[in-house]
């Protein structure tokens, strides 16, 4: 049997590449330090058995149809809203992701944004660099407390819960909104399941951890933003389109909320120009899982999923529902 061929859309950490080589797979790789062009991917995928792709690659029906031999799509991410999973399932193509290994790193980044917003870290850094720090100021750059405040978690999956666990050290009150009750999480953190409306009304920090689905697209729109306290912050490390970005810009300009910390954007990598002009906004370039340790583990897991799938085994992180 000739070796199985896989295409990797962008250079991932060596740990993953080496594992794939060890398994005897023939690898082709986009070596350019930028996303693969769509036409290039359409051409490349024709004779591949497996694809390892990024969250920025749109894997739709046309790409899937071009992959005449394709057996498995391994996403180097936990979120897979960029892949048409129902269509892949119809074509008997497995889809896998890299959950768990990035849970804590992503939760830590949500915390980094909570701190950056509450204590005006980025704005303060700009203040110092611009030479304005001449003397200590009794009322300069005042932020807000985090301890004993209310943290509202939208989406209590693995990442949302990890954010909640880390709040314990700050004696915060925890509210969460989720389709399912998480009794273990409640027992360990004292978190309370509440409606989205109640969460928005009562939280000082609202942090989003839902996947992007038809149900969560624009979950936070003008009406939801109006429910938030004028002193509250919105943190999004999940997926940009969960928030109506123009509505968020209007809410910030009108001071309906105090600020926002974003790692993801509605039309990523484009950023709403209104966000760039505001000082009470912290903007990151989608770094949720971006630690050396975590990205190595993601690369390893993405490789294991491919190897299992191409070896006729069930991959550890198969996401297609009803795949047989
Ligand atoms: C990052 O956003 C991921 O889905 O892994
Ligand atoms: C989402 O929060 C997940 O980790 O699945």
């Amino acid at each position: 049997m000739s070796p199985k061929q896989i295409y990797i859309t962008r250079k991932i950490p060596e740990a993953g590449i080496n594992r794939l080589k060890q398994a005897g797979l023939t690898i082709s790789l986009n070596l350019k330090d930028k996303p693969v062009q769509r036409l290039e991917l359409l051409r490349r995928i024709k004779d591949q058995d497996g694809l390892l792709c990024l969250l920025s690659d749109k894997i739709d029906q046309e790409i899937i149809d071009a992959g005449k031999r394709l057996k498995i799509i391994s996403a180097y991410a936990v979120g897979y809203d960029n892949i048409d999973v129902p269509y892949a399932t119809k074509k008997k193509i497995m889809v896998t992701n890299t959950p768990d290994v990035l849970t804590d790193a992503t939760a830590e980044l949500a915390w980094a944004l909570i701190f950056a917003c509450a204590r005006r870290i980025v704005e303060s850094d700009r203040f110092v660099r611009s030479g304005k720090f001449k003397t200590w100021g009794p009322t300069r750059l005042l932020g807000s407390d985090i301890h004993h405040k209310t943290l509202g978690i939208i989406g209590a999956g693995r990442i949302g819960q990890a954010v909640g666990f880390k709040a314990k050290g700050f004696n915060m009150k925890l509210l969460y909104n989720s389709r399912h009750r998480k009794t273990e999480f409640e027992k360990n953190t004292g978190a309370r399941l509440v409606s989205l409306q109640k969460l928005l009304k009562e939280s000082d920090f609202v942090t989003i951890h839902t996947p992007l689905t038809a149900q969560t697209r624009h979950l936070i729109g003008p009406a939801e933003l109006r429910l938030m306290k004028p002193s509250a912050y919105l943190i999004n490390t999940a997926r940009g389109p969960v928030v109506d970005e123009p509505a968020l810009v209007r809410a910030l300009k009108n001071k309906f909320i105090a600020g926002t910390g974003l790692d993801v954007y509605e039309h990523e990598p484009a950023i709403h120009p209104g966000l760039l002009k505001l000082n009470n906004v912290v903007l990151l370039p989608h770094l949720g899982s971006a630690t050396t340790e975590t990205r190595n583990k993601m690369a390893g897991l993405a490789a294991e999923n491919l190897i299992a799938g191409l070896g006729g085994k069930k991959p550890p992180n198969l996401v297609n529902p009803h795949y047989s």
Side-chain angles (χ1 to χ4, degrees), residues 52 78 83 184 284 299:
L52 198 156
V78 67
I83 303 171
E184 218 27 50
L284 304 181

Side-chain angles (χ1 to χ4, degrees), residues 78 99-100 102-103 155-161 209-211:
V78 67
D100 303 320
L102 50 61
T103 298
R158 289 161 287 215
I159 299 170
Q161 291 190 38
H209 301 286
T210 56

Side-chain angles (χ1 to χ4, degrees), residues 55 76-79 102 238-239 286 289 298:
L55 56 91
Y76 175 70
V78 67
L102 50 61
R239 282 294 181 271
H286 204 146
S289 62
M298 286 166 65

